């Protein structure tokens, strides 16, 4: 896996971080203070997660840690040790979009796209917990993900649509 | 059979074509400025002033310049070889503080280091000694007789894009004054049956584009500047950078990746000058990525206070309106003059007046600079005027819809002297809103219904250009500099090219803006892109179409009229020659390309561009709201908007603009307010913890948008722009709905406390 650029300026007491990233084992040395988001973005090249509010409110940096959505902007990288990390880059396989991605596209569930990675990953966690959520359940679960563009309506529709696809009423799209 | 040189029946336009950037945005592959790494790039961090108004006595770096990883440190002292002041309206702003700071958050020192962590760490070393100056953090304080002056206004020079007439500034804290009057206002008020008068306050609001401002700058060989930036107006940024650093315009290249939202916050020049100056000092590329708290003090919506009165006859006929509004532009003008002018223009509302008189001022204060935010001006004043229209209605026994039926302008009527006549059916729009709200249905206690209608002068300056290249394999590349902020401009443009060239949308590629490659476009904002850049795109594609038709005529040996362009080929009676074959025939080899150029300017084309505005964007909304009388909590039961767009080139994208704009309108109406300490000028709620942006939990119970297509726009196929009206319309409709439910507000946002107090005020008044 490509590892690029920035090691921390002062790097005392490096620790070895072992985790599974999108299904593949990863090992790298990290400083204790390093946060998961910059490690994913700057050292492991996973640029899909975005930094926005930096205080765990907006959800743009959401990744799944052992399947649970976390704000990677405020999660120490070391907390991922021994765990499985899933980012947006892990969703599509062999050019085939994940059904949630296909549903977001079909329903027009994003505009600028900056919140989309986090929104899709939160949706994945929601649908793993609740296969057929109600609109209220969707709104409640996704309240930790802000979207400034869409006004949310199309996202709710997309999540319902994705639930249907995952339940087998639709099929994956790709190419 | 259709003629080869006229557009065929619509195949690409008017359909819900999926966004052409949908896939890369859903997979996380779309690149934003913060995702880019330029070889050799350093990471910047800005030391910002904690003081709102002070002299800089001494900057003590305490070794920050020698700290591990630090490559360069920039202060005002590094800029003695240039005039470091910029500002597209007024050149009032140094790119980094020089001698004086004027707002809390103003850049004082900038550091470039090998890593972001090293740049961040260097901040803690820096110590700046200030000598405090008196702080004027509010409009009232800034206009007080003994107020300190933030700028020597009489010495200010206009920026490159002031564009608002002559600059005559009196000494003081006013950066711009816009006034107009017609008719005998005083006589009408003196004689009127009904006069409603009020004072209003609108808060400073943070646009919150989720991607904070991010800029990468590179200074090459002392006279070439390359910038990757999250900017809406790359050509205006280019001109300002060339001006600031004294280099030719052609030596400045602005590359614009995808933007994580703009909403006006990335219009004009923001962090680019500081980033370029730091790169010049470092002799390396430098990235400065704002944090959210930094973007909050980089630009915001103007806070406003206003006084307004409206006169009417006892049968509800509006007669006259007078308004005075003061816009808090913060420490530097930014786009303040334009916001003031637009706000003043919006103050009368789209009604038939016998007289109007409006004065609006932009006021400097020791707070962060204010500029553009979606539907500026209209959002500020529409709710005030609409509350007064409704109050007159209550006094004369007409409901809100009847008042508007009686007084709204008709299509073709003059909106302002010398300007474009009304190009929208406002009464029809309001009827649609009323129907969607089930206007005449009985209301439960504490439930109110409100409508609002306004106009926004849309389009900004009508100058756009575009190139279309039809490649040898029959794919098309569209070169246009509109910034993709999320609105879907590239998708709509690809539809226009596909329509004109009779080819599939999927065969049209639209790369991002790059001033070295994509041609001039004035700006991305003011709902202008579909209408203006879109028309340039159409004209460019049509030029290619004409070339194809001419080539096909030669290939077939037939007149052009006998040939039809369809599905990527030229056809005559069942015989087809596809575009690659036509291009190969033209060049005598496999290769080459056909190129078309399109241009929009005020004195070309429909002619209506010269009139101003390019079109009137309607700001129409309807709201049904319920108030909890014990807590003042507001629940929105239904929100309705109208997109009066002439022709919806992509209805789903139009509806998306309405959904998003109305949600921002809800935020402006109910939640959002930047709180500056009135004494220190410091922003007190500089995180998203403390500044509430609407979430899923704040959705209204129901939303409906109405797309109106009367073909009355000056853009492609009769289109006009969309995107801003829903914000102003919704904010004002929330206010009118709350008033209908008993809470007449004089300040936004309508927090539970304000609503609760407004309910009590009315109850107390009724008891007297």
């Amino acid at each position: 896996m490509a590892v690029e650029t920035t090691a921390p300026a002062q790097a005392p007491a490096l620790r070895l971080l072992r985790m599974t990233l999108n299904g593949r084992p990863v090992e790298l040395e990290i400083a204790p203070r390093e946060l998961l988001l910059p490690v994913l973005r700057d050292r492991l090249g996973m640029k899909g997660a975005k930094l926005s509010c930096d205080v765990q409110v907006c959800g743009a940096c959401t990744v799944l840690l052992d399947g649970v959505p976390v704000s990677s902007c405020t999660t120490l990288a070391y907390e991922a040790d021994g765990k499985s990390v899933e980012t947006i880059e892990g969703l599509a396989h062999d050019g085939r979009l994940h059904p949630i991605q296909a549903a977001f596209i079909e329903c027009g569930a994003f505009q600028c796209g900056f919140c989309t990675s986090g929104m899709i990953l939160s949706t994945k966690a929601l649908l793993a917990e609740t296969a057929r959520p109600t609109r209220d359940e969707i709104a409640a679960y996704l309240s930790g993900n802000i979207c400034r563009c869409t006004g949310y309506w199309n996202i709710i529709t997309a999540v319902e649509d994705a639930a249907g696809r995952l339940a087998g009423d639709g099929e994956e799209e790709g190419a | 059979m259709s003629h080869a040189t006229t557009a065929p029946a619509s195949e690409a336009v008017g359909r819900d074509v999926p966004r052409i950037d949908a896939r890369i945005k859903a997979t996380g592959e779309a690149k934003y400025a913060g995702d880019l790494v330029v070889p050799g790039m350093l990471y910047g961090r800005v030391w910002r002033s904690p003081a709102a108004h002070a002299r800089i006595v001494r900057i003590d770096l305490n070794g920050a310049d020698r700290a591990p990883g630090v490559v360069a440190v920039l202060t005002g002292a590094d800029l003695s070889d240039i005039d470091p002041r910029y500002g597209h309206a007024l050149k009032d702003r140094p790119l980094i503080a020089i001698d004086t700071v004027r707002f809390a958050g103003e850049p004082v020192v900038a550091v470039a280091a090998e890593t972001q962590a090293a740049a961040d760490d260097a901040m803690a070393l820096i110590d700046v000694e200030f000598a405090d100056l008196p702080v004027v953090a509010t409009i009232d304080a800034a206009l007080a007789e003994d107020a300190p002056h933030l700028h020597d206004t009489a010495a200010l020079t206009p920026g490159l894009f002031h564009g608002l007439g002559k600059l005559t500034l009196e000494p003081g804290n006013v950066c711009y004054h816009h006034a107009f009057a017609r008719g005998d206002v005083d006589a009408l008020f003196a004689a009127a049956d009904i006069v409603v008068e009020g004072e209003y306050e609108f808060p400073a609001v943070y646009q919150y584009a989720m991607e904070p401002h991010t800029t990468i700058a590179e200074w090459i060989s002392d006279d070439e500047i390359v910038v990757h930036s999250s900017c809406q107006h790359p050509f205006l940024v280019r001109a300002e950078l060339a001006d600031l650093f004294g280099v030719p315009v052609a030596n400045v290249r602005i590359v614009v990746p995808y933007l994580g939202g703009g909403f006006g916050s990335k219009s004009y020049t923001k962090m680019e000058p500081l980033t370029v100056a730091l790169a010049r000092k470092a002799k390396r590329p430098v990235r400065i990525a704002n944090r959210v708290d930094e973007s909050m003090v980089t630009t915001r919506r103007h806070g406003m206070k206003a006084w307004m009165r409206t006169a009417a006859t006892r049968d509800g006929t509006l007669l006259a309106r007078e308004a005075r509004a003061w816009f808090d532009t913060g420490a530097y003008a930014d786009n303040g003059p334009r916001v003031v002018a637009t706000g003043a223009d919006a103050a009368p509302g789209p009604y038939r007046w016998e007289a109007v008189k409006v004065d609006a001022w932009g006021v400097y204060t020791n707070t962060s600079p204010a500029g553009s935010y979606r539907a500026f001006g209209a959002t500020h004043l529409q709710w005030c005027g609409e509350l007064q229209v409704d109050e007159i209605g209550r006094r004369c026994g007409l409901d809100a819809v009847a008042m508007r039926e009686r007084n709204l302008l008709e299509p073709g009527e003059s909106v302002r002297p010398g300007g474009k006549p009304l190009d929208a059916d406002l009464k029809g729009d309001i009827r649609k809103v009323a129907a969607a709200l089930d206007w005449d249905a009985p209301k439960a206690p504490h439930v109110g219904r409100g409508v609002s209608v306004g106009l926004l002068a849309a389009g900004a300056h009508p100058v756009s250009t575009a190139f279309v290249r039809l490649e040898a394999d029959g794919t098309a590349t569209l070169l246009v500099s509109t910034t993709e902020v999320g609105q879907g401009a590239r998708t709509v443009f690809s539809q226009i090219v596909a329509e004109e060239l009779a080819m599939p949308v999927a065969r049209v590629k639209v790369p991002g803006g790059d001033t070295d490659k994509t041609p001039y476009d004035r700006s991305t904002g003011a709902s202008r892109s579909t209408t203006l850049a879109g028309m340039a795109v159409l004209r460019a594609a049509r030029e290619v179409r004409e070339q194809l038709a001419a080539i096909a005529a030669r290939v077939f040996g037939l007149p052009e009229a006998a040939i039809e362009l369809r599905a990527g080929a030229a056809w005559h009676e069942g015989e087809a020659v596809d575009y690659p074959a036509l291009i190969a025939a033209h060049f005598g080899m496999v290769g080459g390309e056909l190129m078309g150029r399109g241009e929009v300017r005020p004195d070309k084309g429909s002619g209506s561009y010269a009139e101003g505005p390019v079109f009137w964007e309607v700001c129409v909304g309807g709201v049904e709201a319920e108030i909890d009388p014990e807590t003042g909590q507001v629940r929105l039961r239904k929100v309705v908007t109208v997109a009066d767009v002439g022709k919806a080139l992509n209805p789903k994208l139009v509806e998306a603009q309405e959904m998003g704009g109305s949600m921002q309108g809800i935020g402006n109406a109910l939640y959002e307010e930047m709180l500056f300490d009135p004494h220190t000028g410091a922003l007190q709620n500089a995180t998203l913890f403390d500044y509430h942006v609407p979430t899923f939990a704040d959705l209204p119970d129901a939303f409906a948008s109405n797309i109106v297509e009367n073909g009355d726009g000056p853009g492609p196929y009769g289109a006009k722009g969309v995107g801003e009206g829903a914000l102003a319309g919704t904010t004002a409709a929330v206010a009118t709905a709350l008033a209908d439910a008993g809470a007449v507000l004089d300040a936004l946002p309508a927090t539970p406390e304000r609503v609760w107090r407004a309910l009590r005020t009315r109850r107390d008044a009724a008891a007297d």
Side-chain angles (χ1 to χ4, degrees):
Chain A
M1 181 162 287
V3 177
E4 62 176 57
T5 60
T6 55
Q10 298 156 314
L14 295 180
R15 306 286 297 266
L16 190 64
L17 167 65
R18 290 190 192 86
M19 60 184 182
T20 306
L21 177 59
N22 297 326
R24 298 172 60 186
V26 173
E27 272 189 25
L28 71 165
E29 288 192 321
I30 57 165
R33 76 174 193 180
E34 283 189 84
L35 294 163
L36 184 56
L37 179 64
V39 166
L40 290 171
R41 285 179 51 85
D42 300 334
R43 301 190 61 193
L44 296 168
M46 301 288 116
K47 302 276 194 183
K50 305 300 184 196
L51 176 64
S52 183
C53 77
D54 213 6
V55 290
Q56 218 171 13
V57 170
C58 77
C61 65
T62 301
V63 299
L64 302 183
L65 200 56
D66 280 349
V68 177
V70 299
S71 295
S72 61
C73 72
T74 43
T75 300
L76 285 169
Y78 197 73
E79 292 180 59
D81 192 50
K83 295 192 171 139
S84 138
V85 175
E86 188 167 8
T87 69
I88 192 70
E89 289 84 357
L91 260 64
H93 284 293
D94 303 327
R96 294 175 66 81
L97 294 174
H98 188 280
I100 299 173
Q101 293 172 313
F104 269 61
I105 291 173
E106 176 77 20
C107 299
F110 52 84
Q111 292 179 27
C112 82
F114 209 72
C115 74
T116 308
S117 300
M119 201 68 80
I120 286 174
L121 290 166
S122 289
T123 300
K124 187 164 189 276
L126 163 65
L127 296 180
E129 283 179 34
T130 311
R132 290 286 193 171
T134 65
R135 292 177 78 86
D136 284 348
E137 285 170 334
I138 294 167
Y141 196 94
L142 294 181
S143 281
N145 290 80
I146 291 175
C147 171
R148 191 59 150 166
C149 295
T150 62
Y152 302 113
W153 295 104
N154 287 347
I155 298 175
I156 293 181
T157 307
V159 175
E160 289 182 314
D161 184 58
R165 289 170 192 249
L166 286 166
D169 350 331
E171 58 201 54
E172 292 190 18
E173 294 173 16
Chain B
M1 179 184 277
S2 66
H3 191 280
T5 53
T6 59
S10 179
E11 289 177 3
V13 155
R15 289 177 36 227
D16 290 334
V17 170
R19 302 180 62 94
I20 62 173
D21 53 11
R23 189 181 175 95
I24 59 168
K25 286 182 172 175
T27 57
E29 293 164 278
K31 292 289 180 284
Y32 303 80
D35 301 331
L36 306 178
V37 178
V38 170
M41 184 176 92
L42 301 171
Y43 297 79
R45 183 58 76 202
V46 180
W47 194 96
R48 292 170 179 274
S49 171
H53 200 195
R55 294 258 167 228
I56 299 170
V57 177
R58 192 171 54 89
I59 297 174
D60 187 348
L61 297 178
N62 278 322
D65 50 340
R66 299 184 308 276
V70 170
V71 174
V73 175
L74 181 85
T75 69
D78 292 306
L79 302 173
S80 53
D81 61 323
I82 59 171
D83 178 353
R85 289 172 307 156
Y86 72 103
H88 68 277
L90 289 166
K91 285 192 182 182
D92 59 1
R93 177 166 194 180
L95 63 88
I96 194 165
I98 293 172
D99 303 333
T100 305
V101 292
R102 297 183 179 84
F103 70 97
E106 180 154 12
V108 179
V109 184
V111 172
E114 298 287 354
T115 67
Q116 190 65 63
D120 293 354
D121 287 349
M123 294 295 105
L125 300 172
I126 295 165
D127 190 24
V128 179
E129 188 184 329
F130 291 106
D132 286 345
L133 294 168
V135 172
V136 287
T138 65
I139 290 168
D140 287 340
L143 294 177
E145 207 143 303
D146 58 349
H149 297 170
L150 271 71
H151 299 275
D152 180 3
T153 42
L156 288 178
T157 53
L160 298 181
F161 311 105
H162 185 275
L164 289 162
K166 65 183 192 297
L167 186 69
T168 48
L169 292 180
E170 306 281 325
N173 287 322
V174 169
C175 76
Y176 186 67
H177 177 207
H178 189 84
F180 58 89
R182 50 184 188 269
D184 191 342
V185 168
D186 291 338
L188 285 161
F189 274 99
D193 302 326
I194 302 173
V195 174
V196 174
E197 180 175 341
E199 292 183 16
Y200 305 90
E201 285 183 42
F202 189 89
V205 175
Y206 171 40
Q207 301 93 338
Y208 188 45
M210 290 192 69
E211 173 203 28
H213 302 86
T214 303
T215 305
I216 302 167
E218 191 170 3
W219 184 281
I220 303 166
S221 305
D222 281 352
D223 61 357
E224 264 188 70
I225 298 170
V226 180
V227 171
H228 293 74
S229 187
S230 58
C231 66
Q232 293 177 227
H233 306 349
F235 281 88
L236 305 192
V237 172
R238 183 175 72 152
E240 281 209 279
L241 290 178
D243 185 53
L244 255 174
F245 292 97
V247 301
V249 164
N251 286 25
V252 183
R253 177 183 178 192
I254 313 289
V255 185
V256 187
Y258 284 107
L259 261 61
F263 317 119
S265 70
K266 296 162 182 170
S267 64
Y268 300 101
T269 300
K270 293 291 183 282
M271 294 299 292
E272 293 87 358
L274 177 55
T275 315
V276 170
L278 186 56
R280 186 179 80 142
K281 177 87 185 282
K283 301 185 171 63
R284 296 261 299 270
V286 178
R287 183 188 85 181
I288 294 181
N290 270 358
R291 297 182 309 256
V292 156
D293 61 307
E294 295 179 288
S295 276
M296 283 185 95
V297 296
T298 297
T299 182
R300 59 174 171 87
R301 197 199 273 299
H302 290 70
M304 177 205 75
K305 54 179 288 184
W307 167 86
M308 182 184 278
R309 62 174 180 164
T310 306
T313 63
R314 66 174 58 83
D315 70 354
T317 302
L318 298 176
L319 297 172
R321 176 170 283 174
E322 184 173 8
R324 292 180 209 130
W326 297 265
F327 292 80
D328 172 3
T329 204
Y332 299 102
D334 195 298
N335 204 30
R338 175 59 65 191
V339 173
V340 168
T342 305
D345 282 347
Y351 298 104
R352 200 173 297 110
W353 303 105
E354 290 185 27
V356 294
K357 184 176 193 312
V358 178
D359 282 89
W361 296 267
V363 181
Y364 286 124
T365 66
N366 291 119
T367 61
S368 58
S372 309
Y373 175 28
R374 201 173 191 171
F376 62 69
T379 310
H380 286 100
L381 281 151
Q382 183 172 329
W383 66 284
C384 315
E386 291 294 85
L387 283 177
Q388 295 201 344
V389 169
D390 285 357
E391 180 59 29
I392 289 164
R394 275 189 283 277
R395 292 193 197 175
C396 64
L398 288 178
D399 77 8
V401 173
M403 276 299 291
R404 285 161 185 80
E405 291 275 9
R406 174 165 302 216
N407 292 291
L408 279 173
L409 295 172
E410 298 282 353
E413 278 194 87
S414 169
V415 178
R416 67 177 186 216
K420 185 166 196 166
L422 181 62
D423 52 357
D425 176 16
L426 297 175
K427 290 182 186 177
D429 294 344
I430 282 292
R431 282 184 209 116
K432 287 189 171 61
V433 172
L437 288 177
D438 205 359
W439 187 252
D440 295 321
K443 281 176 285 198
H446 311 299
V447 170
R449 290 192 196 109
V451 297
S452 80
V453 57
L455 290 178
L456 195 54
H461 298 278
V463 176
S464 294
T465 59
F467 292 123
V468 170
R469 300 164 59 187
L470 187 64
E471 315 284 359
D473 67 350
T475 56
T477 305
L478 168 62
L479 300 177
V480 59
S481 293
T482 299
T483 296
E484 179 56 69
V485 291
Q487 79 281 47
R490 294 190 199 176
T491 304
V492 170
F493 294 159
S494 74
Q495 290 177 260
I496 294 170
V497 171
E499 181 80 20
E500 291 300 317
L501 296 183
M503 61 187 285
V505 171
R507 305 268 285 168
V508 183
K509 186 176 166 61
V510 190
D514 176 344
T515 59
D516 267 10
K517 297 173 179 169
T518 55
Y520 188 92
D521 185 36
R522 194 271 174 185
S523 52
T524 299
S527 301
R528 71 186 294 286
S529 294
T530 295
T531 311
L532 296 171
M535 188 57 98
V537 169
L538 181 144
R539 289 173 179 161
R542 226 163 247 188
E543 263 197 26
V544 172
R545 186 183 176 82
E546 286 163 9
Q547 293 169 42
L548 279 171
I551 295 166
R554 288 201 301 275
V555 168
F556 280 99
L558 291 166
E560 288 182 24
I563 294 159
E564 180 193 13
L565 298 184
R566 169 164 52 84
W571 294 77
H572 176 72
E573 291 179 356
E575 188 190 345
V577 180
D578 65 14
Y579 294 168
L582 291 177
I583 295 169
H586 181 65
F587 289 101
M589 61 172 259
V590 176
E593 64 179 315
L594 302 182
M595 191 158 185
R597 176 177 177 277
E599 177 181 280
V600 168
R601 53 194 169 92
D603 58 350
K604 186 175 173 179
S606 74
S608 61
Y609 292 151
E611 253 177 323
V614 175
F615 62 95
W616 292 105
E617 182 169 357
V618 306
C619 307
V620 174
V623 165
E624 182 173 295
E626 181 175 0
I627 299 173
D628 179 338
E630 302 304 319
T631 64
Q633 196 79 37
V634 173
R635 175 181 166 203
L636 299 183
R637 292 154 57 112
K638 186 156 196 182
V639 172
V640 182
T641 66
V642 172
D644 196 328
V645 296
K647 163 83 180 168
L649 303 191
N650 186 321
K652 196 163 187 166
L653 288 177
V654 170
E655 186 184 53
Q657 285 299 305
E658 295 294 285
M659 289 172 164
S662 73
M663 200 63 186
Q664 292 191 7
I666 290 168
N668 278 238
L670 294 180
Y671 309 117
E672 299 186 44
E673 178 171 26
M674 293 173 76
L675 298 166
F676 292 97
D677 185 301
H679 304 293
T680 67
L683 179 61
Q684 296 171 306
N685 55 345
T687 75
L688 286 207
F689 274 128
D690 301 313
Y691 182 93
H692 183 76
V693 167
T695 72
F696 280 93
D698 303 311
L699 276 170
D701 296 348
F703 171 83
S705 69
N706 297 272
I707 298 180
V708 176
E709 297 183 273
N710 293 329
D712 46 11
Y717 319 108
K720 51 188 162 174
V722 64
E724 311 214 2
L727 201 170
T730 300
T731 298
V734 169
T736 57
L738 293 177
D740 187 52
V744 183
L745 290 151
D746 56 11
L748 293 180
T751 58
E753 180 182 342
R754 285 197 176 114
V755 171
W756 185 83
R757 287 184 189 284
L759 277 178
R760 281 180 68 95
T761 304
R762 173 138 150 177
R763 204 177 301 156
D764 294 349
D768 285 344

